[in-house]
Amino acid sequence: MDPHFLDELIAVLGADNVLTLPEDLLCYAYDAASDLPSTPPDVVVTPWDSTQVAAVVKLAAASKIPLYTRGAGTNLSGGTIPLRQGIVLSMLNMDKILEIDAENLTARVQAGTVIQSLLDAAEPYGLLYPPDPGTVKTATMGGSAAECSGGLRGLKYGVTKDYILGMEIVTADGDIISLGGKTVKNVSGYNLPQLFVGSEGTLGIITELLVKLVPIPEASQAMLAVFMDLDKAADAIRAIIARKIIPATLEIMDNITIRTVEDFKKIGLPVDAEAILLVEVDGIRGAVDQEAARVKEVLAECGATAIRVAADAAERDQLWEARRSALPALVRSRPTTILEDATVPRSKIPEMIRAIRAIAAKHQIQIGTFGHAGDGNLHPTILTDIQDADEMRRVRLAIDEIFATALELGGTLSGEHGIGLAKAGYMESQFGKPGMDLMKKIKRALDPDNILNPGKIFVDL
Amino acid sequence: MDPHFLDELIAVLGADNVLTLPEDLLCYAYDAASDLPSTPPDVVVTPWDSTQVAAVVKLAAASKIPLYTRGAGTNLSGGTIPLRQGIVLSMLNMDKILEIDAENLTARVQAGTVIQSLLDAAEPYGLLYPPDPGTVKTATMGGSAAECSGGLRGLKYGVTKDYILGMEIVTADGDIISLGGKTVKNVSGYNLPQLFVGSEGTLGIITELLVKLVPIPEASQAMLAVFMDLDKAADAIRAIIARKIIPATLEIMDNITIRTVEDFKKIGLPVDAEAILLVEVDGIRGAVDQEAARVKEVLAECGATAIRVAADAAERDQLWEARRSALPALVRSRPTTILEDATVPRSKIPEMIRAIRAIAAKHQIQIGTFGHAGDGNLHPTILTDIQDADEMRRVRLAIDEIFATALELGGTLSGEHGIGLAKAGYMESQFGKPGMDLMKKIKRALDPDNILNPGKIFVDL
């Protein structure tokens, strides 16, 4: 990288915030998508405010140098990998919580704020930021907004985009623009906050977020049900919704996942069960008792062979232990884990689980499936070894077939992990050429020199 | 208009669907924003499907003829007025409900479907489409999506954009593209359905919508509270939310509105009251009883001088009568009514109501204010006479000040009526030049010849 350019960065940020040592750069070469290629950037910058971000963008724009914005790097689609070197813009210094507005139920945070910090700051006000990707303790609000992360509460509470009221962005020209506002109703001009949510850093850099909070539910009730028959578990999911109950959480684990968890944790899971459902309802006390009773009834009617209702917080934690152990248990069983997030309409879950099983058998690979049954967001988790070229070839074929099946069933390539590098090659199969052209028009309009996270979402930009 | 062009339209649509008689054209000259200039288009077309829409767009694009998409014309910002003549594309023939998917809680409808038709179709499944602009019996789903209409249930249920999962659009090139899907979680590519929601027909034509439904709440409880002091009413709004209750409806009427309604309806409203609040909670039975009791407590604690709780459906209708009569009562009192929708953060409602009162006094005009207190969306309703040039001049000054005040208080120009023609001139005051440039880049990228609803949102495009 041109030393003069580095000097300009140092002039803006100070030498402490411009990293060029190889051992520093290596840490920014990859993200949590472990099967993707990694590349160190030429330089990492760590700005402290939006003005510095804007100044960096202006320098990058003048020299047409790629710019990769990065939160905590927890994303699972290679969204932050600096594929074409250039600059990694780490947002971790911009971690201030600027306001908790209990009266208007909003919070304003800098983009580098860790989700858990916001949860901690809102808790004394009795307020909750509902989006709950598995990584609240490390992931940043900005990264979570750029990827539109989902998580465990999607069915009842929605996902990240449902809580974004506004944001401050830095455009590819280095302008600082404030979008949206504190009002739920806001139809002045285009709905730009929602265009930037999930745009994976390709349209602008999110520097600040204004998000909606909700009152912490005063009560909740968790229960776990065992099914010997996948169709009966699917019936139960259907029947709960048909009874007009929208649980906060409605999770499923398949037989392979159950067996792997039991092997790891020995918590007494029935290893011959075809599926376990974990259901949690929440809300005000009276409603929760009534809904929990109805859910239990439905589970029994649909043929659950065992139902455990948590009597207290400790028992709730026990029930959750099985679900929380799913990924760690699967991960430890083989050297490489590929966590997919193909998502289908809720009614297609049994078909999808069966298709995944058939695909695994056909290509002789191991896939454990668990996930958010309530919103159709499954996590087929492929257990493999990146050193085994032949197995990886079969894994790639299986992934192709999983994506094709999700689209055939009316689903989507990605429910919550994003497209990034991992799924860019599949985009045209979902959107066709006119759909891709439409997205490219927007990308080119807002970032004509393609300096913002180039190589992501679009394979040919 | 070039007769050859009309022949081409007739070739695509049939003569019955191409209207050119002056008396037909006149009906499409205006919309529900009664104080704006009206202009008849050159031709009105009434397509029956997306293919016909695409064919019309291709013809318009080839000749660069303006194209104004229109649902029922109920919008209040001049969004459908064919300012530069050309073609009005009426969607009213495209009114089919294509699917109610009770299992996935979704509905798919053509854009010309009247909202009430969807409500009627969903009701037998026990499902509800929550967005409730005052005009459900006439407004179309497409118009409502293009304007992102709000309404009475914003605080708890959100607005139109919160229920749009996907759509079919016709681009300015005449491509038919399907966006989004049935899954709540969907992060494949840009969040385009949300870019088109609220874009007022300027980026593409919405031909089909995929929307989210919710279970019809099994119970509800309405109550009305009278306040002699505006601050106490504001305290009550605050206190309800602080008690972690999110009512389905939380409406306010000011003293002028109360007096006008009472004068019109003689339903026994206290004409000396500073404010009336109408609160309705809904959900499952147990929760509703508990929440209603808490709301009543809060209203009393905050100094309501009278509280009426509806004992049954008939009493509920009586309570709603006052709120439902607000606009009709105000409308009948003077020849011209200008209904604004400046929206502020909920905590700023008393300041906003007082500012509106001061502005009315300063300019010696009449303004009644009512609206959706729960989401900060007030309707200052200016009672005037479009024939009185001097009064109209003062009205314009007052409107300028109302908008400026809303922005100063952290609000927005429009909560639910859209920008259209009415507020285009104020946009830069909210977004600044960089913000306007950002929107224009998107507009130009998707509609380079500016044929889609030209003259709206942007004064200089």
Side-chain angles (χ1 to χ4, degrees):
Chain A
M1 175 157 266
D2 176 11
H4 174 66
F5 185 79
L6 289 177
D7 288 343
E8 288 182 317
L9 288 175
I10 290 168
V12 167
L13 297 159
D16 285 356
N17 296 304
V18 179
L19 316 181
T20 52
L21 293 176
E23 57 270 35
D24 285 332
L25 301 181
L26 259 183
C27 303
Y28 296 87
Y30 57 91
D31 62 21
S34 59
D35 60 319
L36 296 176
S38 68
T39 328
D42 295 314
V43 58
V44 174
V45 298
T46 54
W48 289 82
D49 59 35
S50 309
T51 315
Q52 288 190 344
V53 172
V56 171
V57 174
K58 281 180 178 163
L59 289 175
S63 301
K64 302 194 181 176
I65 293 175
L67 208 157
Y68 294 89
T69 310
R70 183 185 178 99
T74 56
N75 97 84
L76 291 159
S77 54
T80 59
I81 295 174
L83 197 61
R84 300 181 192 171
Q85 283 84 36
I87 305 165
V88 163
L89 187 86
S90 166
M91 301 297 284
L92 295 185
N93 285 340
M94 292 176 61
D95 62 353
K96 277 176 267 317
I97 292 173
L98 304 167
E99 185 190 50
I100 303 286
D101 180 343
E103 215 169 319
N104 291 305
L105 303 182
T106 61
R108 209 157 55 83
V109 300
Q110 284 188 310
T113 302
V114 170
I115 301 173
Q116 185 66 50
S117 307
L118 172 59
L119 293 172
D120 293 343
E123 201 271 333
Y125 297 91
L127 296 175
L128 174 71
Y129 173 70
D132 178 19
T135 47
V136 288
K137 293 196 173 145
T138 37
T140 63
M141 290 293 291
S144 177
E147 298 288 324
C148 186
S149 42
L152 295 163
R153 297 201 187 94
L155 172 60
K156 178 168 179 178
Y157 290 97
V159 297
T160 300
K161 64 185 170 196
D162 300 309
Y163 293 85
I164 305 289
L165 288 169
M167 56 176 66
E168 181 190 79
I169 57 154
V170 172
T171 67
D173 301 327
D175 283 327
I176 301 173
I177 301 182
S178 174
L179 303 171
K182 281 190 183 179
T183 61
V184 172
K185 288 180 175 170
N186 189 341
V187 293
S188 292
Y190 298 145
N191 187 3
L192 293 182
Q194 292 298 326
L195 176 62
F196 284 92
V197 170
S199 66
E200 306 190 6
T202 63
L203 299 179
I205 296 167
I206 299 171
T207 47
E208 216 178 279
L209 286 159
L210 177 68
V211 300
K212 195 160 76 173
L213 305 175
V214 301
I216 298 176
E218 71 178 35
S220 69
Q221 178 68 67
M223 63 195 83
L224 184 149
V226 175
F227 290 87
M228 292 298 155
D229 179 336
L230 187 59
D231 279 318
K232 289 186 176 168
D235 284 346
I237 295 167
R238 246 190 301 265
I240 290 169
I241 309 282
R243 290 285 286 273
K244 311 277 178 277
I245 301 163
I246 308 287
T249 310
L250 176 40
E251 299 284 305
I252 193 167
M253 290 166 57
D254 77 346
N255 175 266
I256 296 179
T257 310
I258 296 168
R259 278 191 285 125
T260 312
V261 169
E262 183 54 25
D263 188 45
F264 175 37
K265 286 278 181 173
K266 317 282 183 218
I267 48 181
L269 295 181
V271 293
D272 51 342
E274 279 288 305
I276 282 177
L277 294 184
L278 176 66
V279 190
E280 187 161 307
V281 293
D282 68 8
I284 73 171
R285 175 71 57 196
V288 166
D289 294 345
Q290 193 176 333
E291 288 194 332
R294 285 189 202 169
V295 170
K296 200 181 163 190
E297 228 172 76
V298 169
L299 291 169
E301 281 167 20
C302 291
T305 54
I307 302 172
R308 277 184 61 194
V309 180
D312 53 32
E315 274 197 44
R316 173 180 182 272
D317 283 346
Q318 276 174 17
L319 297 189
W320 272 89
E321 172 82 6
R323 170 63 182 83
R324 264 198 295 263
S325 305
L327 187 57
L330 291 167
V331 162
R332 70 186 269 287
S333 70
R334 290 293 305 279
T336 306
T337 311
I338 301 174
L339 183 67
E340 287 304 342
D341 68 327
T343 299
V344 295
R346 185 171 44 243
S347 63
K348 303 293 186 187
I349 285 177
E351 266 170 273
M352 188 66 188
I353 291 182
R354 279 203 198 85
I356 292 166
R357 207 181 293 178
I359 290 166
K362 177 176 163 192
H363 296 290
Q364 293 173 282
I365 57 172
Q366 279 172 278
I367 309 182
T369 300
F370 63 96
H372 320 301
D375 50 35
N377 177 204
L378 295 176
H379 290 307
T381 304
I382 303 171
L383 312 174
T384 182
D385 181 353
I386 206 166
Q387 309 294 341
D388 181 338
D390 181 66
E391 183 168 326
M392 284 304 288
R393 188 188 52 78
R394 285 178 281 124
V395 164
R396 297 285 161 214
L397 291 172
I399 290 175
D400 290 354
E401 289 178 24
I402 289 173
F403 289 165
T405 307
L407 294 181
E408 266 164 40
L409 294 174
T412 182
L413 287 174
S414 177
E416 57 182 15
H417 296 169
I419 298 301
L421 205 54
K423 299 184 183 176
Y426 299 92
M427 281 288 280
E428 197 160 323
S429 68
Q430 178 164 356
F431 292 98
K433 196 177 168 308
M436 292 310 293
D437 283 349
L438 183 59
M439 292 193 210
K440 283 179 198 166
K441 280 178 187 172
I442 294 170
K443 166 68 174 170
R444 287 193 187 112
L446 299 193
D447 179 23
D449 291 323
N450 196 23
I451 60 166
L452 299 176
N453 207 4
K456 310 301 168 64
I457 302 183
F458 308 102
V459 280
D460 51 356
L461 277 190
Chain B
M1 176 156 265
D2 176 10
H4 175 67
F5 185 78
L6 289 177
D7 288 342
E8 287 183 319
L9 287 176
I10 291 169
V12 166
L13 297 160
D16 285 355
N17 296 305
V18 179
L19 315 181
T20 52
L21 292 176
E23 56 271 36
D24 286 333
L25 299 181
L26 259 183
C27 304
Y28 297 87
Y30 59 91
D31 61 22
S34 59
D35 61 320
L36 297 176
S38 68
T39 328
D42 296 313
V43 58
V44 174
V45 298
T46 54
W48 290 83
D49 59 33
S50 309
T51 315
Q52 288 190 345
V53 173
V56 171
V57 174
K58 280 182 179 163
L59 289 174
S63 301
K64 301 192 182 177
I65 293 175
L67 207 157
Y68 293 89
T69 310
R70 183 184 177 99
T74 55
N75 97 84
L76 290 160
S77 54
T80 59
I81 295 173
L83 197 63
R84 302 183 190 170
Q85 283 83 34
I87 306 166
V88 163
L89 186 86
S90 166
M91 301 298 284
L92 295 185
N93 285 340
M94 291 176 60
D95 64 352
K96 277 174 267 323
I97 292 172
L98 303 168
E99 184 191 50
I100 303 285
D101 180 344
E103 215 170 321
N104 292 304
L105 304 182
T106 61
R108 209 157 55 84
V109 300
Q110 283 188 310
T113 302
V114 170
I115 301 173
Q116 185 66 49
S117 307
L118 172 58
L119 293 172
D120 294 342
E123 201 271 333
Y125 298 92
L127 296 175
L128 173 71
Y129 172 71
D132 177 20
T135 48
V136 289
K137 292 196 173 144
T138 37
T140 63
M141 291 292 293
S144 177
E147 298 288 324
C148 187
S149 41
L152 295 163
R153 297 201 186 95
L155 173 60
K156 178 169 177 177
Y157 289 98
V159 296
T160 300
K161 65 185 169 195
D162 300 308
Y163 293 86
I164 305 289
L165 288 170
M167 54 177 67
E168 181 191 78
I169 57 154
V170 173
T171 67
D173 300 327
D175 283 327
I176 301 173
I177 301 184
S178 174
L179 303 170
K182 282 191 181 176
T183 61
V184 171
K185 288 181 177 169
N186 189 342
V187 292
S188 293
Y190 298 145
N191 187 1
L192 293 181
Q194 292 298 325
L195 176 63
F196 285 91
V197 170
S199 66
E200 305 190 7
T202 63
L203 299 179
I205 295 167
I206 299 172
T207 47
E208 214 178 280
L209 285 159
L210 178 68
V211 300
K212 195 161 75 171
L213 304 174
V214 302
I216 298 175
E218 72 178 33
S220 68
Q221 178 67 68
M223 63 195 84
L224 184 149
V226 175
F227 289 88
M228 291 300 155
D229 180 336
L230 188 59
D231 280 318
K232 288 186 176 168
D235 284 347
I237 295 167
R238 245 190 301 264
I240 290 169
I241 309 282
R243 291 283 287 271
K244 312 276 178 280
I245 300 163
I246 308 289
T249 310
L250 177 41
E251 299 285 305
I252 191 167
M253 290 166 57
D254 78 346
N255 175 266
I256 296 180
T257 309
I258 295 166
R259 279 190 284 123
T260 312
V261 169
E262 183 54 24
D263 188 47
F264 176 37
K265 286 278 180 174
K266 317 281 184 218
I267 47 181
L269 295 181
V271 293
D272 51 343
E274 278 288 303
I276 282 177
L277 295 184
L278 177 66
V279 190
E280 187 161 306
V281 292
D282 69 7
I284 73 170
R285 176 69 60 196
V288 166
D289 293 346
Q290 193 176 332
E291 287 195 333
R294 284 188 202 172
V295 170
K296 202 182 160 190
E297 228 172 77
V298 169
L299 291 168
E301 281 167 19
C302 291
T305 55
I307 302 171
R308 276 185 59 196
V309 180
D312 52 31
E315 274 197 47
R316 173 181 182 270
D317 283 347
Q318 276 174 18
L319 298 189
W320 271 91
E321 173 80 7
R323 170 62 182 86
R324 264 197 296 260
S325 304
L327 187 57
L330 291 167
V331 162
R332 71 187 268 289
S333 69
R334 291 292 307 277
T336 305
T337 311
I338 301 174
L339 182 67
E340 286 304 342
D341 69 326
T343 299
V344 295
R346 182 172 47 243
S347 62
K348 303 292 184 188
I349 285 176
E351 266 169 274
M352 187 68 188
I353 290 181
R354 280 205 196 84
I356 292 167
R357 208 181 293 177
I359 291 166
K362 176 177 166 192
H363 296 290
Q364 294 173 282
I365 57 172
Q366 280 173 279
I367 309 182
T369 299
F370 63 96
H372 319 302
D375 49 36
N377 177 204
L378 295 175
H379 291 305
T381 304
I382 303 172
L383 311 173
T384 183
D385 181 353
I386 205 166
Q387 309 294 340
D388 182 337
D390 182 65
E391 183 167 327
M392 284 304 288
R393 187 188 53 77
R394 285 179 281 122
V395 164
R396 296 288 161 212
L397 291 172
I399 290 176
D400 289 354
E401 290 179 24
I402 289 173
F403 290 164
T405 308
L407 295 182
E408 266 165 39
L409 294 174
T412 182
L413 287 174
S414 178
E416 56 183 16
H417 295 169
I419 298 301
L421 206 51
K423 300 186 183 177
Y426 299 91
M427 281 288 281
E428 197 161 324
S429 68
Q430 178 164 357
F431 293 98
K433 196 176 169 307
M436 293 308 293
D437 284 348
L438 183 60
M439 291 192 211
K440 283 178 198 167
K441 280 179 188 172
I442 293 170
K443 166 69 174 169
R444 288 191 186 113
L446 300 193
D447 179 23
D449 291 323
N450 196 22
I451 61 167
L452 299 176
N453 207 5
K456 310 301 169 62
I457 301 182
F458 308 101
V459 280
D460 52 354
L461 276 193

